[in-house]
Amino acid sequence: LPTSNALMDITPRPPVVFTRGEGAYLWDSQGRRYLDFVQGWAVNALGHAPPVIAQALAEQAQALITPSPAYYNGPSLALANTLAQSSCFDRVFFTNSGAEAVEGAIKLARRYGEFHKDGAYEIITFDGAFHGRTLATMSASGKAAFAPLFEPKVPGFPKARLNDLESVEALIGARTIAIMLEPIQGEAGVWPATPTFLKELRQLTRQHGLLLIVDEIQTGIGRTGKLFDYEHATITPDIMALGKGIGGGVPLGALLATEAVSCFRHGDQGGTYNGNPLMCAVGKAVVDTVAAPAFLAHVTAKGETLETALNALAGKHALGATRGRGLLIALDLGREIAPAVVERALQNGLLINAPRADALRFMPALNVTPAEIEDGIALLDRVLSEL
């Protein structure tokens, strides 16, 4: 295999090169198999190399890859209509990533403020939030590690505290146009916004004539047992950003908005590959699969199975509690051993993620089986016993 010297060194990586994947499993260049409970950071909604995606790619690649975003194409129209019909939104703009979708949400909110609220541009976000790695989305994020990077930041993102309505109210002023949050803060360690808090935010934004933006890059497309997580709180946001799971492993994101908020003028927004039929054909196949009621019921059931098993493991090893919804679950370890657990788990053939030094995050494929969950828990049990 080629060396890694030509790649920019941007993150520590273990000396493993993956060459093949199937469902819940990955194989490295030495032929060793790993049970994958990371799945590209909640990206592979249907696991590795699912036939439905392979078929969509192959068929679309032979028909039309991209005609340019200056023209309509069938797969983008089909996927846009499916998303609109399955949500509370009316309009869709496709992107190549979740960060680009959030960037579009920021632009749309500021454009709305220009047209409808005397140029208001501030978007209240939250401590601990993660919205992406562009300059604007890093500025909107509340990740402490981002604070000293790439100054000066993009202004206009005051930070409130999750599940603290008073901290939000204190930041609202004449320049405020929107409030943006993840229904579950994934990168911060899987911290959910409560349904009550989301309802209160919706009421607060309406009271002040503000927009409510949900970043569902990690929670959207079935990850928490509903097609979109905002459905758990029975609210209707104004804008939503999607990414990760919508492509099932290919680069695809989407910005969704209600008709009343969709105020971009021609030339305000665009992108060379945005809405290309190759990626949209995959997105349509993924969304059609996940949106089936029986599939979403499976996600809820397997999430409960995983959470129950993790709680039992926590009791056995004197760990902390679980948190999250569906198949986005964190286990609080109660002490800062998560990196060591992740490293030892890799050695034992299990891929898990540590968003914090004291917590593990589990993001298996949405079609994970009970047997695979059982195997993963057994491997983790062995690792915790060794440590």
Side-chain angles (χ1 to χ4, degrees), residues 59-127:
E59 291 179 357
Q60 190 59 47
Q62 295 177 65
L64 179 65
I65 293 178
T66 184
S68 143
Y71 308 101
Y72 291 120
N73 70 76
S76 70
L77 293 174
L79 180 54
N81 277 280
T82 294
L83 290 171
Q85 291 162 8
S86 304
S87 71
C88 65
F89 304 100
D90 307 297
R91 298 282 184 168
V92 182
F93 172 76
F94 291 112
T95 66
N96 308 293
S97 68
E100 191 181 345
V102 177
E103 187 91 9
I106 293 167
K107 290 179 181 177
L108 184 59
R110 288 189 169 188
R111 199 65 158 133
Y112 185 87
E114 181 184 347
F115 290 148
H116 302 289
K117 207 165 184 287
D118 299 322
Y121 65 90
E122 286 190 348
I123 299 173
I124 297 170
T125 57
F126 291 83
D127 290 334

Side-chain angles (χ1 to χ4, degrees), residues 47-218:
H48 292 286
V52 67
I53 288 183
Q55 181 180 350
L57 279 171
E59 291 179 357
Q60 190 59 47
Q62 295 177 65
L64 179 65
I65 293 178
T66 184
S68 143
Y71 308 101
Y72 291 120
N73 70 76
S76 70
L77 293 174
L79 180 54
N81 277 280
T82 294
L83 290 171
Q85 291 162 8
S86 304
S87 71
C88 65
F89 304 100
D90 307 297
R91 298 282 184 168
V92 182
F93 172 76
F94 291 112
T95 66
N96 308 293
S97 68
E100 191 181 345
V102 177
E103 187 91 9
I106 293 167
K107 290 179 181 177
L108 184 59
R110 288 189 169 188
R111 199 65 158 133
Y112 185 87
E114 181 184 347
F115 290 148
H116 302 289
K117 207 165 184 287
D118 299 322
Y121 65 90
E122 286 190 348
I123 299 173
I124 297 170
T125 57
F126 291 83
D127 290 334
F130 180 85
H131 294 295
R133 291 183 178 275
T134 67
L135 278 176
T137 55
M138 288 180 74
S139 302
S141 297
K143 185 172 180 175
F146 283 177
L149 297 179
F150 313 125
E151 291 295 309
K153 292 288 195 300
V154 177
F157 300 101
K159 306 295 188 296
R161 293 182 298 276
L162 191 68
N163 295 321
D164 182 345
L165 194 68
E166 289 185 2
S167 74
V168 178
E169 289 179 294
L171 295 175
I172 295 175
R175 295 179 298 184
T176 309
I177 188 56
I179 298 170
M180 179 167 70
L181 81 163
E182 305 155 272
I184 299 176
Q185 289 188 344
E187 294 301 310
V190 190
W191 295 99
T194 66
T196 298
F197 181 65
L198 289 171
K199 286 182 186 348
E200 290 173 341
L201 277 185
R202 178 71 281 191
Q203 183 179 359
L204 187 66
T205 53
R206 286 183 171 143
Q207 177 184 338
H208 289 273
L210 308 178
L211 305 178
L212 180 61
I213 306 171
V214 288
D215 174 346
E216 293 233 22
I217 290 166
Q218 193 159 138

Side-chain angles (χ1 to χ4, degrees), residues 311-327:
N311 281 326
L313 203 61
K316 177 179 179 180
H317 295 279
L319 306 176
T322 57
R323 54 182 180 263
R325 273 192 294 274
L327 287 170

Side-chain angles (χ1 to χ4, degrees), residues 286-376:
V286 171
V287 173
D288 285 349
T289 301
V290 173
F295 190 99
L296 291 171
H298 167 96
V299 173
T300 298
K302 298 309 170 286
E304 291 171 354
T305 298
L306 177 59
E307 189 170 4
T308 298
L310 287 172
N311 281 326
L313 203 61
K316 177 179 179 180
H317 295 279
L319 306 176
T322 57
R323 54 182 180 263
R325 273 192 294 274
L327 287 170
L328 178 58
I329 301 292
L331 173 62
D332 193 322
L333 298 175
R335 46 201 182 274
E336 295 189 348
I337 59 170
V341 174
V342 169
E343 182 179 358
R344 187 66 65 90
L346 176 72
Q347 296 166 5
N348 281 270
L350 174 66
L351 303 182
I352 49 179
N353 168 252
R356 299 162 46 112
D358 62 356
L360 301 175
R361 177 172 46 170
F362 301 84
M363 305 165 282
L366 300 184
N367 52 6
V368 66
T369 67
E372 289 160 352
I373 291 174
E374 185 178 347
D375 289 348

